[in-house]
Amino acid sequence: MTTYVRVDENIYGRMGLKFVLTPDGQSLQLLPGQLADPGSDVVSHVGEARFHVRISTPVATDADVPDALGLALRRVADRLFGILPDGTEDPDASGFVEGVLGPAVHDGGLVLTLDTESFGFNPPMVETMTRIFVEELEPLAIPVELTAASWATDEVPPAWRSSAERLQG
């Protein structure tokens, strides 16, 4: 049971673009962060996995992020490279997750975006990725909320820099 990391129970459902058929037959496209209404049929779920981490105060600059949190998110990013399509975490795996962008300050929190060369993601992968976030962040005793990023652009903000890195210039 986690006490400091609150995970959106619909994290998978909020990720990526969704093409949905409503119960009345209407066809909709839902953006990242949006959730299909109950009774709707998600016909297609595409895009890349994007995670948003929020702390109790809005983050506007690198200095707003405790170093311990930013460094833990870098460890998360390193571990995400080892996620396979079946949800297995294999530190020796290579090639499936080709890149992890971030952590980067965006929309009041920190965002991590995976590049899977258009393979996308699935529930077992997101479940394992979420577990990794919890394992790395829970010991910090910093209350955070983890959800899908609602950001729908390919423009990536600059990566977060620790206080020591900012002092170096």
Side-chain angles (χ1 to χ4, degrees), residues 15-16 32 47-53 73 76-78 80-81 97-106 110-117 120-121 129 133 146-157 159:
M15 286 206 181
E48 303 286 10
R50 289 187 169 127
F51 294 89
H52 200 169
V53 177
L73 289 173
V76 167
D78 289 343
L80 294 178
F81 277 99
V97 174
E98 292 194 336
V100 179
L101 307 171
V105 173
H106 182 74
L110 292 150
V111 174
L112 279 90
T113 301
L114 276 71
D115 179 3
T116 59
E117 276 306 299
F121 54 92
M129 292 171 186
F133 275 93
L146 177 67
T147 189
S150 60
W151 162 44
T153 179
D154 287 332
E155 184 178 316
V156 179

Side-chain angles (χ1 to χ4, degrees), residues 29-166:
Q29 177 181 324
L30 301 179
L31 297 173
Q34 294 179 315
L35 191 62
D37 289 334
S40 294
D41 183 27
V42 178
V43 178
S44 178
H45 207 140
V46 298
E48 303 286 10
R50 289 187 169 127
F51 294 89
H52 200 169
V53 177
R54 292 185 186 273
I55 59 177
S56 59
T57 57
V59 172
T61 70
D62 292 351
D64 297 333
V65 179
D67 280 347
L69 176 60
L71 296 172
L73 289 173
R74 285 184 184 169
R75 291 191 301 275
V76 167
D78 289 343
R79 289 180 65 185
L80 294 178
F81 277 99
I83 304 302
L84 300 174
D86 67 358
T88 304
E89 181 183 3
D90 180 357
D92 297 323
S94 64
F96 181 74
V97 174
E98 292 194 336
V100 179
L101 307 171
V105 173
H106 182 74
D107 193 25
L110 292 150
V111 174
L112 279 90
T113 301
L114 276 71
D115 179 3
T116 59
E117 276 306 299
S118 300
F119 172 80
F121 54 92
N122 60 42
M125 292 172 65
V126 172
E127 183 177 310
T128 300
M129 292 171 186
T130 300
R131 176 184 52 80
I132 289 169
F133 275 93
V134 171
E135 288 174 1
E136 294 292 343
L137 300 180
E138 185 66 25
L140 303 178
I142 299 172
V144 300
E145 178 184 11
L146 177 67
T147 189
S150 60
W151 162 44
T153 179
D154 287 332
E155 184 178 316
V156 179
W160 169 83
R161 296 182 322 147
S162 69
S163 57
E165 292 164 332
R166 291 189 311 273

